[in-house]
Amino acid sequence: MQRIFSGIQPTGIPQLGNYLGAIRNWVALQADHECIFCLVDLHAITVWQDPEALRQQTLAQTAVLLAAGIDPKAHILFNQSAVTAHARLGWIFNCVSRLGWLNRMTQFKDKAGKDRENHSAGLYVYPNLMAADILAYKATRVPVGDDQRQHLELANDIAQKFNHDYGVEFFPAIEALIPPAAARIMSLRDGTKKMSKSDPSAQSRIEMTDDADTIALKIRRAKTDPEPLPTETAGLQDRPEARNLVDIYAALAGITAAEVLARHGGEGFGPFKTALTEVLVQAVVPIAEETRRLLDAPDHLRAVLRDGAGRAAEIAEPIVSEAERLVGFLK
Ligand code: TYM
């Protein structure tokens, strides 16, 4: 059975993009993989986080993941800082990775913007730690949204360079599992920006804890253009907001964008938004309700993470110890 590793930053409530791009696949992959899912709090502090909020969000995200169908008994769910192997292998990878490679990372450029000098060194070496997350378990498959593709290519470069430098076939190749549709859900306010937990406008995203009224309101206010929906996908070109809403509908209904347009092409956005709200409510509200129930039992959530961290450490410890031996640390 192949081993899966994937992570999410506990920096807010998971949004629809996290769900369609990643979490929904995590749930499905549990059927035939050994899965390790991680709340990456070490990554979260690469930008400022209020300490108490970070703790709360770690629990809240645990609740959402359980509500969405992650099975913490058959698989592993934990927070990254609880397993020291990540930071130890991350440091080794800081020394394997090259500045030239990091300089090409588009996510760093997007996040740091023009004000590079004022960002943390952690944000810059962020992808090295991601590589460590995966390779500390020798995981071979990583389900992520499209925005993580470049980071996984870098992880493969790091693994190869490590193997080459130390003359061993130690770390395996990693395969990114990116969904064919919904790999990049865009903001509801701007179809050219990706939907994100950290967008200052809550109107830009559907959160996985939104109730039916909130979802209806956000979709009603979602930016569109004045034209009716096209009847064919070619008509979505240069209409990023229309494309995004059609993609969301398609992903939730389990059909293609062409099939959505066969049903709704020619309609104005009013009736289409009503139909979209319906499929969204069906997908999100049960998760939101179960999340609220789980949040009433924070001790249970803590126990799930503690148990997961113990089992994660058992897998990672011998692998990272061997990596440390390979680089020459005295044991
Ligand atoms: P994060 O927390 O930004 O996002 C978690 C997952 O959600 C996906 N995603 C999206 N998919 C489609 N449309 C969107 N708008 C959208 N926004 C987010 C992301 O691709 C991701 O799969 N660096 C990672 C966390 C991480 C990780 C890892 C992932 C740390 N170590 C090791 C895999 C393996 C991140 O910031 O995810």
Side-chain angles (χ1 to χ4, degrees):
M1 210 187 303
Q2 293 209 61
R3 185 174 287 159
I4 293 264
F5 182 97
S6 200
I8 182 167
Q9 295 194 61
T11 48
I13 296 295
Q15 37 81 11
L16 186 68
N18 298 131
Y19 180 67
L20 293 176
I23 298 169
R24 192 168 70 154
N25 285 349
W26 299 5
V27 172
L29 288 161
Q30 293 180 120
D32 48 7
H33 290 79
E34 176 194 356
C35 299
I36 303 170
F37 300 121
C38 186
L39 300 160
V40 292
D41 46 12
L42 300 178
H43 280 108
I45 63 162
T46 55
V47 297
W48 169 253
Q49 302 296 327
D50 174 76
E52 199 41 48
L54 180 59
R55 261 187 289 275
Q56 283 309 322
Q57 284 160 5
T58 304
L59 289 179
Q61 286 218 351
T62 304
V64 173
L65 293 176
L66 296 178
I70 298 300
D71 177 349
K73 291 214 167 72
H75 300 278
I76 293 179
L77 177 64
F78 72 108
N79 59 316
Q80 191 184 26
S81 60
V83 177
T84 58
H86 294 250
R88 282 154 49 207
L89 189 59
W91 179 258
I92 293 177
F93 285 173
N94 283 343
C95 305
V96 173
S97 185
R98 303 288 96 180
L99 292 183
W101 299 354
L102 294 173
N103 285 338
R104 285 197 288 274
M105 294 295 114
T106 55
Q107 189 148 333
F108 176 77
K109 289 183 200 160
D110 291 347
K111 283 196 179 171
K114 292 209 171 64
D115 190 21
R116 263 177 84 105
E117 305 281 306
N118 256 325
H119 282 78
S120 73
L123 188 66
Y124 189 65
V125 296
Y126 180 115
N128 298 341
L129 181 60
M130 256 183 85
D133 295 338
I134 302 161
L135 292 166
Y137 302 89
K138 295 193 177 177
T140 49
R141 313 189 92 187
V142 182
V144 285
D146 186 62
D147 60 337
Q148 300 299 318
R149 189 190 294 275
Q150 197 186 29
H151 288 162
L152 297 188
E153 284 165 9
L154 183 90
N156 271 323
D157 290 342
I158 291 175
Q160 264 180 29
K161 180 159 163 47
F162 181 100
N163 289 349
H164 177 264
D165 288 354
Y166 296 102
V168 282
E169 267 311 307
F170 188 63
F171 288 120
I174 300 166
E175 182 192 353
L177 302 181
I178 296 173
R184 192 177 279 263
I185 300 294
M186 309 311 275
S187 157
L188 299 177
R189 307 300 305 164
D190 176 351
T192 63
K193 257 175 49 187
K194 89 177 171 185
M195 187 179 282
S196 157
K197 309 183 211 78
S198 55
D199 191 300
S201 163
Q203 296 295 321
S204 70
R205 60 181 168 266
I206 303 288
E207 293 184 348
M208 296 309 291
T209 50
D210 283 346
D211 60 24
D213 289 346
T214 309
I215 294 172
L217 187 69
K218 286 180 178 173
I219 293 299
R220 230 176 11 255
R221 290 197 181 146
K223 185 174 169 199
T224 49
D225 56 39
E227 303 296 321
L229 279 174
T231 49
E232 285 173 17
T233 50
L236 290 172
Q237 196 146 21
D238 302 323
R239 296 180 66 186
E241 284 84 16
R243 170 182 294 278
N244 190 37
L245 296 185
V246 168
D247 282 348
I248 293 173
Y249 188 102
L252 289 166
I255 57 180
T256 63
E259 286 168 323
V260 177
L261 294 178
R263 281 187 209 171
H264 293 281
E267 267 178 23
F269 278 98
F272 179 63
K273 282 181 166 182
T274 308
L276 176 59
T277 300
E278 211 168 285
V279 288
L280 268 168
V281 166
Q282 262 173 32
V284 174
V285 169
I287 296 177
E289 285 175 355
E290 178 64 4
T291 300
R292 271 190 284 283
R293 204 182 62 73
L294 289 164
L295 279 173
D296 281 339
D299 289 346
H300 168 66
L301 300 173
R302 283 174 190 272
V304 164
L305 294 180
R306 206 175 314 117
D307 171 66
R311 288 186 290 130
E314 273 174 34
I315 302 173
E317 193 53 42
I319 295 173
V320 172
S321 271
E322 179 58 10
E324 289 171 331
R325 198 192 63 76
L326 285 168
V327 305
F329 295 166
L330 187 65
K331 288 280 183 183

